[in-house]
Amino acid sequence: QVQLQESGPGLVKPSQTLSLTCTVSGGSITNGYYAWSWFRQPPGKGLEWMGVIVWDGSTSYSASLKSRTSISRDTTRNQFSLQLISVTPEDTAVYYCARRQSPITASPYDYWGKGTLVTVSS
């Protein structure tokens, strides 16, 4: 029943801000103990966890991306969003949103979006 769908521009220019939204249907981002995360996978590379927003609104970020990353939510629209500032071509990747139980940190990510490719290029 739960579905996640990423949306946002597929092309971003260097130095600009990458903004994506994950729309959740079939489940609430506030009702229930879940954490809602962003991942990315650059071409030819592995999956990278970027950050998370938890059901209570708290956030956490990858150490390597913390200075450039912000995750927020719109509870009325049942959405959470990713902002990555000062992007470079190295930020080109398929971006995913996903959920898992919280505060069980080792729990699997049971639902994923299909991913959206974002290309950083001038």
Side-chain angles (χ1 to χ4, degrees):
Q1 292 290 334
V2 178
Q3 291 182 299
L4 287 72
Q5 182 172 292
E6 304 89 351
S7 62
L11 179 64
V12 182
K13 294 182 178 180
S15 80
Q16 294 187 335
T17 297
L18 184 157
S19 298
L20 296 173
T21 296
C22 183
T23 300
V24 179
S25 61
S28 174
I29 64 173
T30 55
N31 294 337
Y33 300 130
Y34 294 103
W36 307 86
S37 293
W38 284 99
F39 293 82
R40 69 178 183 178
Q41 186 169 28
K45 299 182 180 179
L47 195 66
E48 177 185 21
W49 179 79
M50 301 183 69
V52 60
I53 186 163
V54 183
W55 60 270
D56 63 358
S58 63
T59 57
S60 184
Y61 304 100
S62 168
S64 63
L65 296 170
K66 184 176 181 179
S67 64
R68 298 195 293 132
T69 306
S70 179
I71 297 174
S72 59
R73 65 181 182 176
D74 185 337
T75 58
T76 63
R77 297 178 178 178
N78 209 40
Q79 297 175 329
F80 63 103
S81 299
L82 169 73
Q83 292 185 332
L84 183 67
I85 68 171
S86 303
V87 299
T88 73
E90 293 182 351
D91 293 311
T92 295
V94 177
Y95 287 77
Y96 300 90
C97 54
R99 81 158 197 182
R100 72 175 182 180
Q101 289 183 307
S102 180
I104 307 173
T105 58
S107 64
Y109 291 90
D110 55 355
Y111 288 97
W112 292 75
K114 294 181 179 180
T116 185
L117 174 65
V118 180
T119 300
V120 179
S121 176
S122 60

